[in-house]
């Protein structure tokens, strides 16, 4: 009876929470991938923990940010960055996360080392 009561209480308390869970990222072969399985990257010009992205405009067209919903909240090593245009982006360990537009399919890692500034995101 106590187990059922505790489970019901947890369910009731959890219902109605307005937070969005961390993105559906996961580690594959030591690299973070997004919800669709595409590789994620970090940018050397971003300052970890600053809450900002240094990749905007054409940079963001080539390196699309891992978008976060407006109501996203930090959890499990993930934080939320507010971009110059006001949109939200996920960061891991304070580093904003990006996709590379030239990666064509899950498992591609063609963005690693581009311009000496882009690296695979690692857990």
């Amino acid at each position: 009876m106590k187990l059922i009561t505790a489970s019901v209480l947890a369910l009731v308390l959890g219902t109605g929470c307005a937070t969005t869970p961390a993105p559906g990222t996961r580690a594959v072969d030591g690299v973070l991938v997004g919800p669709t399985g595409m590789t994620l990257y970090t940018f050397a010009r971003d300052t970890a923990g600053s809450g900002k992205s240094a990749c905007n405009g054409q940079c963001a067209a080539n390196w699309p940010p891992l978008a976060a919903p407006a109501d996203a909240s930090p959890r499990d090593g993930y934080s939320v960055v507010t971009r110059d245009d006001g949109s939200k982006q996920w960061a891991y360990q304070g580093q904003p996360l990006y996709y590379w537009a030239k990666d064509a399919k899950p498992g591609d890692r063609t963005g690693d080392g581009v311009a000496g500034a882009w690296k695979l995101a690692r857990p």
Side-chain angles (χ1 to χ4, degrees):
M1 182 66 168
K2 287 182 183 180
L3 179 61
I4 293 172
T5 304
S7 297
V8 170
L9 180 60
L11 181 63
V12 170
L13 290 176
T15 304
C17 290
T19 60
T20 301
T25 62
R26 65 189 186 284
V28 175
D29 297 326
V31 175
L32 289 177
V33 298
T36 61
M38 299 300 286
T39 302
L40 292 168
Y41 299 88
T42 59
F43 186 35
R45 294 186 188 151
D46 286 331
T47 301
S50 70
K52 300 281 295 168
S53 167
C55 180
N56 295 286
Q58 186 58 46
C59 178
N62 292 324
W63 298 91
L66 177 59
D71 67 344
S73 61
R75 64 181 66 216
D76 302 327
Y78 289 90
S79 55
V80 181
V81 170
T82 300
R83 300 184 49 76
D84 284 355
D85 65 4
S87 64
K88 304 291 184 181
Q89 175 180 2
W90 287 111
Y92 184 71
Q93 302 297 339
Q95 286 287 131
L97 297 170
Y98 306 87
Y99 296 104
W100 172 225
K102 293 185 179 181
D103 280 349
K105 65 187 181 312
D108 283 355
R109 297 179 177 186
T110 64
D112 191 33
V114 169
W118 294 91
K119 296 187 189 283
L120 296 168
R122 298 195 181 271

